[in-house]
Amino acid sequence: MICPKGPAAPLSRRSTKGPLDIADSLAPEDPPTSSVSAPEAAAIPIPPTPSSAHSTALFPQAPLPERLRSRSPPSAKDLSFLLCPENFHPIPQGSIPAPFRSSPAAASTDLPVLLRQGNYIPAATLAVKTLTTAPSLVPQHIFALLYARLACLAVSGHEALAAQESLVLGDIHSPFYFSTNRYDNDRESCILPWSLRLLAARLQAVAVGGDQRAVVQAYYDFAAYARSQYRRSSATAPKILWKRRLRDLGYRTANALVLMGDLDGARRLFKSIIRARDEEGERTVVEGWVAILCLRMGDLEEASRWIDANSLTIKDGVLDALFMMAEGREEDAVAAWRGLLGGEHDILARHNLAVCLVYTGALAEATEQLEEMVDGGNTFHALTFNLATVYELRTENAQKRKEALAGRVADHRRQGEREDGKSVEMVNGDFKLDDCSRNEAENRRPAVAPCDSTSSPDPPAMVDEKPNKYEFLPIPTYEEATSSRPSSSNSHLGPEEISHDAERQGLLSRGQPAQHNGYQPPTVESARSSLDSLISSGENSHRSSDAALQREIQHMEVEEPGDPNSRAQRFSKRLTSLTHSLSSINLPFRQWLPSGQYMRARIPSVLQGIRFQPNWIIVSRIFAVFLVIFITWLFLISGLFASGSRRIGNRFDPDNLRTYVQGHIDADNIRKNLQHATQFDHLAGTKGNYYLASWVETAFSQAELENVGLERFDVYLNYPKQGGRRVAIIDPPELAWEAKIEEELAYPAEFEAQQTMVFHGHSKTGNVTGPLIYANYGSRQDFQDLKDRGIDIKGSIVLVRYYGSQPDRSLKVKGAELAGAVGCIIYSDPAEDGFVKGDPFPTGRFMPADGVQRGSVAMSSWVVGDVLSPGFASLPGERRRDSKDNNSGLPNIPSIPLAWRDAQKLLQVIKGHGKKIDDSEAKGGVPDVEWWTGDSKSPTVHLMNDQIEKEREGIYNVLGKITGVEQPGKSIIVGNHRDAWCFGGADPGSGTAIMLEVVRVFGELRRFGWRPLRSIEFASWDGEEYNMIGSTEHVEARVADLRRDGFAYLNVDVAVTGTKFKAAGPVFEQALKRVLDRVPDPNGNRTLGELWKEKKTRMDGLGSGSDFVAFLDLAGTSSLDMGFEGAVFPYHSCYDNFDWMAKFGDPGFQYHRALAQIWALLILDMADRPLLPLDLSVYAGEITKYVNDLETTHAQAKKPKPHHIDFRSLRDAANQFVVNAKVFENWGTAWSKAVYESRGFESISLSNQRIHHNTKMADFETDLLDVDGGLPGREQFKHIIYAPQLWNNDGAAYFPGVRDAIDEGEWELAQKQVDKAARILDSAAKKLLNT
């Protein structure tokens, strides 16, 4: 179905949808930061579902006033774009504990009943099924169902999913949503219910802005609109309505400020609300919130004043006990809470008593108190969370005890269902349980059945506001905030999970800074350790909110519209704020300035007879200015004034900095990141990958990186069609057979985890038939061997296997094409990655019989990036495009991958055709096969590859930055790609999970004021699997900048598949060794550096096949690639998933943690060492070896050599580089000695020399580019030493221009390439010593 379009989205960025997405069954789950409460989920009428056509409305509807009810309805709008199934995503169930997955109440198909019971996930599912399947829905139904869907997602902990789905509404301020019949000023003409507009605005702000600042701005816009509507209204009823809405916006804004951490802003806003309150009961509630905020901020005196002055209902010793906790007097608080047991506040007292007992070390008694509460039927979140925490503190067997606790609580909840029909859902976060693995299919709750399509009576007229009842925001009452689960919150994830849980923690979250002796919330999760040992001087400073945002918030302060004093009050506040800001400036040298008394005593007495009386304050300040100028001048001319950036950097001790970074890498965080990133397939260009991009963008924003955003390119991508691929034997008829092609489901069907269909990226569309011929690994030598044995390949379908002598799948297809084949099938042979190697998944780590290796067949060694824009970026709107026909980067025959399960039949039917294969190296491991080559008389095979091809499909890189303080324009780029062929457990999920943890830790450093010397850029690349597209387009879009300012690129792709550490990029060898000496081997009592030395490991040169290609080969940025390797894994199949990693790849995620430490420490070294730690001497030694190896390759070449190639110029250049590199590094040694002898001070002159030295060091790699030329026939590649070899894309090949010419027997070209490489290398070496 093609869905009609709605109003334009409010932003240019859109959800990327690929052809796979029509039947997509994504299961994204993102931790909530919701401020939607359960009551809010029912703020608009829910239409009766077909199964409950005669049931009563969920909430009684208050009628509109007669004069408004008489108006004509708005003109009809086409809302069919809201009914498209692809707008919505299935909801994951993995976050729900097993005992909660079989609630009988959840089986209802009555939406109002599900909502009353608190079964929000089934309600959300039912709402969308009704929305997309029920016939003839009127607008009231559509909006009510959409509201129920979004609200239920938000309150059940899936706010990110709700945020993405809210974008279907587009711009909610669009004229589309306003009636063309403009009524009078007494009624608003928007057809969207007010509650839905507010919810959609907040969710869209979250989807786009990623934080509460965007939400505050959205509410600010609505407040301005509400004020204008109030002033336009002439009748009393509309004025009351808009006044109440304005106050409602005040509450929502205050709540967003609390979640944003601006507690003082929320307190001021609440105070302004109190001044405008009419209802005494509501006023009292808000006063209670202000008191709680004061406690949270540590302002005990004001909290006490609010409580005393307003007679708040906190009495009978509770207040005293709370203040004891706030003051850190836990022992006294224990006694106070014991005295309150059994009284009116027994639950409150018992819970807080247990918390105090934990703080005093009495864990056993704390456990007993909390368990008694659970056994008594109490099941609120704070109780279960704290009890789970105590289990973790007391025993290593905490997991089982937490699971048992979930079972006990579930029993209590079911009892509640039987008694009152209500069952509020709970999730793993309530018990600090990890999200369940998807192999627990038998425990999974079945999806809610779709509603019957029977007609239902028209629902009651929609009323978008209850005139007589105010729906409160989720700011907790005192009781909720201090003892029980806030009724206003259904956010479940704990603070240590992927995202914070500010909504559940309410006003008392530990995530915000508190003053000394501030109120401590009644939870026992440990606070993050401080950086006291890290900062060598100075104090931590609280981060202030954005000034512009604060100014906007002042407009949100609720006032009576038309109040003549309001503007004067606001102006007075701003003036007071300004004077306070000026008076708070404290000069560090003020103590040395002469006092006014001192100055007056020493002014000549002649002035006494003059009538002019000087202002002594001004005189003293002028004197101070001159004094400061004089002192500064002395420092400058003395040369003792060190480089300002180094003085700032020296505020952080380097060793403590490394210790902090290394110690704060959390394996559990990485595990959760990977589990989240692999919940659904995320092929480039699909909404699954766009969702992950938004998630990564949010993580970057939460780490407070700078310039966070999405970078879009429109590129050529292809996708398979359902039923568009076929491999079948069609002749002779008695052998007719058809391959299954698709893998079995990696996860049971009820998990709704869509799998990418089996296909080759960038493959050729085609429908061909031909005899079947087996060509081993599909190398050029394999095809030559067939030709030598008399096997005619022309017009055939070639069957080859992965790996072997031709590891690049694209070159297998190209080889078949050049040999005359019309189609190519590549299968996964068990001898390479299956049962011959060991037990297949799920009992072992290897590829199962049905496993298929997807992958791209783009000619990456010929064209990298978007194949339709080689050499320039595919920016949106770019008009230049090459044709995909006869494109050098694309194959010209169709291809398809297969599992050995299917290939077995093909291999069996060619028995007796062609030549029997006796060479064991040409035989695979497929069982029950007699190996033959096949020939022109082999059975005829039909190969069909009908697909969707999109020449301009959007892909999105995610970028973020930490700006350096010394050389902000120079960058260390850190990257990993995000897209995967299916779930991507190892490739690339392991790298993505690690990078997000590294970003989190660097975000913590940034909050403490740390800045590197050089800028750090973090990048999550898109489209890597197709042809390294995202990274290449990024480089092509800024290639000049990167050649000038890119100091290094640090890449991780497949981070962990085993225990052997491997890295490539020899110029980083010494820096990497230093890092490895700090990181312990997860499997032993020694460091990885000791293992490295013991095994005499050397760093390889870089080959191809990952995102470093564009940085190194096009931009000349020194690059590194690294990871922990192991035996082969189910590469590019749907069995490369979280379960595989958790069972076989890295069960404890300790190697993930080790690699995160290596990566983070290496980033620190590259970005923050005064001397850039690139080792040109090691690089020079490796280049000398490359030259020797090149001569050996020439000597062993099989092509006839009519004349000799002279390598002397290249050897001389390499030897000169060895000499120059040593001389160049001597300067670094001299610098270190000079700084050491001056006790750490660096003069400005020396600092400038060091910066110039670093720049020349980084420029060396760029100087190895043949900028004006490139490799012959592949001019996109510029590096003379590193680039993919023409017929060996995956392996490392040095001096590829020379090697390609040798392979082809083009000896004159080979000599020219040798001479060119020698000139460029010699020039680069000489530039090192140029002043």
Side-chain angles (χ1 to χ4, degrees), residues 168-288:
V168 68
L169 285 165
D171 184 0
I172 59 175
H173 303 294
S174 167
F176 174 86
Y177 288 118
F178 286 81
S179 170
T180 54
N181 298 325
R182 294 294 179 179
Y183 307 136
D184 61 34
N185 291 339
D186 290 343
R187 187 175 183 189
E188 186 186 19
S189 58
C190 183
I191 64 172
L192 284 177
W194 179 255
S195 298
L196 178 58
R197 290 166 71 187
L198 288 184
L199 177 60
R202 187 180 67 77
L203 292 174
Q204 289 182 355
V206 170
V208 175
D211 60 15
Q212 294 300 316
R213 281 185 169 82
V215 176
V216 171
Q217 180 61 51
Y219 288 157
Y220 170 71
D221 293 340
F222 268 100
Y225 174 75
R227 286 186 188 282
S228 68
Q229 291 296 316
Y230 176 90
R231 291 177 179 129
R232 289 178 56 205
S233 301
S234 59
T236 302
K239 277 188 172 291
I240 293 174
L241 178 66
W242 286 111
K243 184 176 179 180
R244 181 169 56 252
R245 287 178 173 177
L246 189 60
R247 291 176 179 173
D248 170 50
L249 285 164
Y251 289 128
R252 294 174 186 270
T253 305
N255 188 75
L257 289 171
V258 170
L259 297 180
M260 193 173 74
D262 189 359
L263 302 185
D264 186 59
R267 177 172 62 174
R268 287 189 291 104
L269 185 52
F270 275 140
K271 288 179 180 179
S272 71
I273 293 173
I274 291 171
R275 290 195 297 269
R277 290 284 63 82
D278 297 330
E279 300 85 357
E280 184 61 33
E282 187 176 337
R283 178 188 179 98
T284 301
V285 171
V286 179
E287 289 167 349

Side-chain angles (χ1 to χ4, degrees), residues 292-373:
I292 292 174
L293 274 171
C294 292
L295 280 174
R296 178 65 187 88
M297 296 169 65
D299 194 345
L300 307 186
E301 291 184 6
E302 184 174 353
S304 182
R305 285 198 302 270
W306 276 99
I307 292 169
D308 293 339
N310 299 287
S311 303
L312 298 181
T313 57
I314 306 176
K315 54 185 179 179
D316 299 333
V318 172
L319 181 60
D320 292 337
L322 279 175
F323 272 72
M324 291 174 190
M325 293 180 68
E327 294 168 350
R329 296 158 48 203
E330 281 82 9
E331 296 287 354
D332 295 337
V334 167
W337 289 122
R338 289 191 194 278
L340 295 173
L341 296 179
E344 178 183 357
H345 304 292
D346 179 72
I347 299 301
L348 170 66
R350 193 174 299 277
H351 188 207
N352 282 281
L353 170 61
V355 172
C356 291
L357 288 170
V358 171
Y359 285 133
T360 59
L363 296 179
E365 186 178 355
T367 305
E368 181 181 347
Q369 292 287 348
L370 295 173
E371 287 184 336
E372 285 181 4
M373 294 177 68

Side-chain angles (χ1 to χ4, degrees), residues 398-432:
Q399 186 71 13
K400 291 184 178 179
R401 299 190 70 176
K402 290 187 289 187
E403 291 171 354
L405 173 63
R408 289 156 60 192
V409 172
D411 291 340
H412 288 301
R413 291 297 175 100
R414 290 196 182 92
Q415 181 64 31
E417 283 184 19
R418 289 191 290 270
E419 292 176 356
D420 56 21
K422 293 186 177 181
S423 172
V424 179
E425 295 161 332
M426 299 188 78
V427 296
N428 288 330
D430 291 318
F431 305 96
K432 300 187 76 173

Side-chain angles (χ1 to χ4, degrees), residues 562-578:
D563 183 356
N565 299 322
S566 60
R567 298 190 178 208
Q569 291 171 353
R570 288 202 302 269
F571 177 79
S572 175
K573 282 185 189 178
R574 297 183 187 183
L575 182 60
T576 302
S577 175
L578 176 62

Side-chain angles (χ1 to χ4, degrees), residues 93 114 151 226 307 337 565 661 706 746 826 849 862 873 885 924 972 1003 1014 1277 1280 1304 1311:
Q93 301 279 317
L114 289 173
I307 292 169
W337 289 122
N565 299 322
V661 167
E706 305 157 47
I826 312 178
W862 297 32
D885 299 322
I972 307 301
R1014 295 167 279 278
F1277 298 99
I1280 62 163
E1304 299 301 321
Q1311 185 65 62

Side-chain angles (χ1 to χ4, degrees), residues 1153-1180:
R1153 181 174 185 267
L1155 188 60
Q1157 291 175 338
I1158 295 169
W1159 206 357
L1161 291 173
L1162 197 56
I1163 293 169
L1164 273 181
D1165 249 29
M1166 299 305 301
D1168 211 34
R1169 278 190 180 270
L1171 279 177
L1172 188 66
L1174 297 177
D1175 196 324
L1176 296 184
S1177 288
V1178 171
Y1179 197 7

